[in-house]
């Protein structure tokens, strides 16, 4: 792919309305056109869904540094079509082996807020467990684009402009984004020679480089910023293969979700269990019915602002079983019915994430969320061309024991009907659970087309204040009808809930990356979300 081809693809990288795409064999959806193309090319060459997602994720390290980094985490839900079984890989961030006494929001802007990364160990673990394409091919396109450059897209430019102080204080930030002594602007070519060299060493040396020179450089930079990570932290890290959680919805669908400590999948199952007690079909879609909207908000807030779920089906089977049960949901819903929501203070982390999904010609499915787990460039620290993640923001949700995995509300999921996949989805951002919940309801309860669903107005979660946490509350996109907005404001004020109307198609209300599968015809369909600059391709 030469620079002219990359330029043509990146001309598609714009906010706003997207079109539905259909395919008969295979498909990739992501938030970046170059990543989508990288994944599709691997599929065309015989790779499977896991390979496609990994090639696309490697590209996003280069093209979306405001959203992801090798210093963050990578988690994947994988459906093996031959066995008809799903498995989950948790490659998320962990706490350092050393303790972090007195950890607070102020640490997120220093080396103390840097977590132990899992991105590369998870990439290797997924490739070896599920993939069929070699590491060199999976990384080829990302290395080429890092070395030769790509045109700056509007989303990267906007985030970069707002975070100049976190980039420009470091020579490695300036060499990419200030190559001529001034900040790059939209459309100019972003070249990342240092990142290309790091990816080449990972390609050639794998974990030897990662646990050696990379670990030493990463640790030294973290400590320079006041952190406690040492090379042994990276060497001790292990990806976790887990059993996904499952639930049913209205006796028609089976929802397979991520297990704790990536507890967003559990939240989805819990939320759908609660929604079974609401006759949504009678009330109508949330864009038209305030009753539906307020129940979706209440159900989302009930699970999203609950204490973090830390145990999975193997480590805490009794507790997990209770949370996922229909009986617990019935009692919980009755309490919600008679209890008005009120403001509560809960500290939560900042956004900055990517999701992508792929289906291959054999019916294998991958749903992957990866991220630096923080806002872009929060601390001004760089190693080997990559910013150091500020993902310790998730330590504010609950501080892990030394060396333990962070509890993160990611929600890669697959929906079955009659035992066959019909939806694969996920979302990034602080509102990812709300985003996935609303879109799944659109698809499952109201039979919406994927294109119609992603263009519906949404509510979101409250953006996080690192210093003070946040209170329970919600945002509402302002393309809801005026009377709906007025009822939302009055409803929230009466309950003294934090609330804010935001612009239409706000990036903080999530980005639904999903593919629908028609078991009868084999048709695949998707539509990139208008809230970011993504694309869909298939064949």
């Amino acid at each position: 792919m030469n620079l002219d081809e990359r330029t043509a693809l990146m001309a598609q990288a714009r906010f706003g309305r997207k079109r539905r795409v259909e395919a008969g064999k295979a498909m990739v959806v992501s938030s970046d056109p170059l990543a989508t193309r990288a994944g599709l090319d691997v599929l065309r060459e015989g790779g499977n869904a896991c390979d496609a997602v990994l090639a696309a994720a490697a590209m996003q390290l280069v093209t979306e540094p405001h959203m992801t980094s090798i210093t963050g985490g990578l988690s994947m839900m994988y459906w093996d079509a031959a066995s008809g079984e799903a498995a989950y890989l948790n490659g998320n961030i962990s706490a350092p082996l050393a303790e972090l006494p007195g950890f607070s929001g102020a640490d997120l802007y220093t080396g103390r807020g840097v977590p132990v990364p899992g991105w590369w160990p998870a990439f290797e673990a997924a490739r070896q467990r599920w993939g069929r394409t070699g590491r060199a091919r999976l990384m080829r396109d990302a290395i080429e684009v890092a070395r030769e450059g790509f045109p700056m897209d509007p989303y990267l430019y906007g985030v970069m402009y707002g975070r100049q102080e976190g980039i420009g204080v470091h020579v490695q930030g300036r060499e990419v984004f200030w190559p001529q002594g001034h900040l790059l602007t939209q459309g100019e070519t972003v070249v990342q020679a240092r990142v290309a060299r790091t990816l080449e060493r990972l390609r050639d040396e794998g974990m030897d480089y990662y646990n050696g020179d990379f670990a030493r450089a990463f640790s030294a930079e973290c400590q320079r910023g006041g952190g406690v990570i040492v090379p042994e932290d990276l060497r001790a890290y292990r990806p976790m293969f887990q059993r996904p959680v499952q639930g049913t919805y209205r006796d028609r669908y089976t929802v397979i979700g991520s297990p704790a400590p990536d507890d967003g999948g559990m939240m989805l199952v819990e939320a759908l269990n609660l929604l079974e007690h609401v006759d949504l079909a009678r009330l109508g879609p949330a864009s038209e019915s305030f009753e539906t909207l307020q129940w979706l908000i209440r159900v989302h807030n009930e699970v999203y602002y609950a204490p973090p779920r830390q145990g999975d089906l193997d480590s805490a089977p009794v507790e997990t079983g209770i949370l996922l049960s229909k009986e617990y949901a019935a009692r919980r819903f009755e309490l919600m019915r008679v209890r008005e929501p009120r403001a509560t203070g809960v500290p939560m982390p900042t956004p900055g994430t990517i999701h992508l999904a792929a289906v291959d010609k054999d019916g294998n499915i991958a749903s992957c969320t990866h991220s630096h787990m923080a806002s872009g460039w929060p601390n001004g620290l760089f190693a080997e061309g990559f910013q150091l993640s500020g993902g310790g923001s998730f330590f504010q949700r609950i501080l892990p024991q030394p060396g333990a995995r962070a509890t993160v509300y990611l929600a890669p999921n697959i929906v079955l009907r009659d035992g066959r996949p019909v939806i694969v989805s996920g979302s990034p951002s602080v509102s990812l659970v709300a985003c996935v919940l609303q879109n799944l309801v659109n698809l499952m309860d109201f039979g919406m087309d994927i294109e119609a669903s992603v263009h519906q107005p949404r509510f979101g979660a409250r953006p996080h204040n690192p210093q003070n946490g946040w209170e329970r509350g919600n945002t509402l996109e302002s393309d809801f009808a005026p009377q709906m907005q007025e009822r939302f404001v009055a409803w929230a004020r009466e309950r003294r809930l934090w609330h804010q109307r935001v612009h239409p198609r706000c990036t903080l209300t999530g980005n639904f990356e999903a593919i629908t599968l028609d078991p009868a015809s084999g048709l695949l369909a998707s539509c990139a979300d208008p809230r970011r600059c993504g694309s869909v391709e298939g064949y």
Side-chain angles (χ1 to χ4, degrees):
M1 191 190 313
N2 59 39
L3 184 57
D4 288 343
E5 292 173 312
R6 291 196 289 273
T7 300
L9 276 174
M10 290 304 288
Q12 305 171 23
R14 60 185 63 192
F15 297 105
R17 178 165 286 277
K18 309 293 197 304
R19 64 179 181 83
R20 172 187 168 101
V21 176
E22 297 180 351
K25 293 184 178 180
M27 181 168 280
V28 180
V29 56
S30 84
S31 52
D32 175 77
L34 292 179
T36 297
R37 176 61 58 86
L40 188 74
D41 284 348
V42 165
L43 288 178
R44 287 186 182 277
E45 294 171 19
N48 64 14
C50 174
D51 298 322
V53 159
L54 294 179
M59 180 67 78
Q60 288 170 313
L61 292 176
V62 176
T63 57
E64 298 191 77
H66 53 311
M67 290 289 123
T68 192
S69 173
I70 202 170
T71 64
L74 182 150
S75 294
M76 185 187 299
M77 181 78 73
Y78 190 74
W79 171 267
D80 180 75
S83 65
E85 295 181 354
Y88 190 71
L89 169 63
N90 181 314
N92 230 317
I93 55 173
S94 290
L97 294 169
E99 294 186 355
L100 293 167
F103 190 87
S104 72
D107 291 316
L108 305 185
Y109 304 102
T110 75
R112 275 172 58 87
V114 175
V116 179
W119 200 103
W120 179 254
F123 180 97
E124 284 288 82
R127 182 181 67 82
Q128 293 165 10
R129 175 72 64 94
W130 298 315
R132 64 173 70 138
T133 301
R135 188 167 64 207
R137 175 60 189 91
L138 294 179
M139 302 180 69
R140 186 193 72 190
D141 295 343
I143 292 169
E144 178 183 90
V145 172
R147 185 190 306 111
E148 298 178 5
F150 68 97
M152 173 88 69
D153 71 79
Y155 192 25
L156 172 56
Y157 175 72
V159 176
M160 178 195 68
Y161 184 87
R163 294 296 304 163
Q164 291 183 62
E165 69 279 9
I167 306 170
V169 298
H170 200 286
V171 63
Q172 292 187 27
R174 292 194 301 273
E175 70 185 14
V176 173
F177 296 107
W178 273 263
Q180 305 299 325
H182 59 82
L183 191 66
L184 288 176
T185 191
Q186 185 176 334
E188 291 191 287
T189 302
V190 182
V191 176
Q192 300 168 83
R194 194 183 300 265
V195 166
R197 290 194 296 271
T198 297
L199 295 178
E200 286 169 341
R201 291 198 66 182
L202 287 169
R203 175 197 65 195
D204 298 338
E205 304 170 49
M207 292 301 294
D208 290 341
Y209 164 65
Y210 183 80
N211 286 330
D213 288 348
F214 181 87
R216 286 186 285 271
F218 177 92
S219 301
E221 181 71 353
C222 178
Q223 292 171 33
R224 187 181 72 83
V228 299
I229 291 177
V230 296
E232 181 56 31
D233 284 288
L234 278 71
R235 296 172 190 144
Y237 182 94
R238 297 292 182 273
M240 296 163 42
F241 286 96
Q242 299 174 278
R243 286 192 290 158
V245 297
Q246 290 194 23
T248 60
Y249 186 56
R250 302 195 190 276
D251 295 322
R252 296 197 299 272
Y253 299 98
T254 299
V255 179
I256 303 173
S258 54
D262 282 359
D263 63 347
M266 286 190 65
M267 292 182 194
L268 285 178
V269 173
E270 293 174 64
L272 292 169
N273 282 346
L274 291 168
L275 283 177
E276 285 188 329
H277 297 269
V278 182
D279 188 355
L280 295 179
R282 178 182 63 83
L283 297 176
S287 59
E288 303 169 7
S289 163
F290 183 75
E291 286 74 20
T292 294
L293 176 64
Q294 66 94 12
W295 273 118
L296 284 170
I297 291 174
R298 289 190 64 185
V299 163
H300 166 266
N301 291 355
E302 175 73 16
V303 301
Y304 185 72
Y305 292 104
R309 295 89 170 141
Q310 292 187 279
D312 63 11
L313 290 165
D314 294 316
S315 62
V318 175
E319 296 91 334
T320 302
I322 290 172
L323 286 170
L324 298 176
S325 70
K326 301 291 188 184
E327 295 76 16
Y328 178 65
R331 298 191 195 100
R332 199 174 185 181
F333 184 82
E334 184 59 23
L335 288 172
M336 289 178 63
R337 194 180 63 80
V338 301
R339 180 188 68 208
E340 286 288 348
R342 297 292 173 186
T344 57
V346 181
M348 295 289 279
T350 52
T353 304
I354 287 171
H355 188 85
L356 62 157
V359 178
D360 66 34
K361 62 181 177 58
D362 297 318
N364 302 302
I365 297 171
S367 179
C368 174
T369 308
H370 64 111
S371 174
H372 46 51
M373 304 295 166
S375 299
W377 304 287
N379 49 38
L381 302 173
F382 286 78
E384 305 289 79
F386 289 95
Q387 62 171 299
L388 266 61
S389 161
S393 55
F394 277 90
F395 299 168
Q396 289 189 289
R397 192 172 180 222
I398 183 168
L399 185 63
Q401 292 296 309
R405 197 74 93 240
T407 302
V408 182
Y409 48 79
L410 303 189
N413 67 90
I414 298 170
V415 177
L416 312 181
R417 187 162 187 176
D418 299 324
R420 302 177 67 180
V422 292
I423 305 168
V424 51
S425 82
S427 172
S429 186
V430 66
S431 302
L432 71 88
V433 175
C435 172
V436 174
L437 178 64
Q438 290 169 89
N439 280 280
L440 288 184
V441 165
N442 287 342
L443 297 172
M444 295 190 294
D445 281 299
F446 300 113
M448 282 190 197
D449 171 82
I450 184 72
E451 181 177 356
S453 183
V454 299
H455 289 92
Q456 295 293 302
R458 287 180 201 150
F459 73 87
R462 181 180 181 179
H464 172 241
N465 180 331
Q467 300 302 327
N468 304 315
W470 71 25
E471 290 183 339
R472 179 185 298 234
N474 301 96
T475 60
L476 190 78
E477 293 181 337
S478 57
D479 47 349
F480 277 93
Q483 62 270 26
M484 292 279 284
Q485 297 181 53
E486 291 165 6
R487 290 190 68 180
F488 166 76
V489 170
W491 179 80
R493 282 177 176 167
E494 182 181 348
R495 291 153 182 81
R496 298 182 179 179
L497 295 170
W498 184 96
H499 60 281
Q500 183 178 69
R501 285 181 287 183
V502 295
H503 61 81
R505 297 170 181 169
C506 176
T507 58
L508 292 183
T509 62
N511 198 69
F512 191 60
E513 268 105 12
I515 299 170
T516 60
L517 305 88
D518 184 338
S521 67
L523 185 70
L524 307 172
S526 183
C527 182
D529 197 303
R531 292 158 184 82
R532 294 198 183 184
C533 300
S535 69
V536 181
E537 292 197 57
Y539 71 90

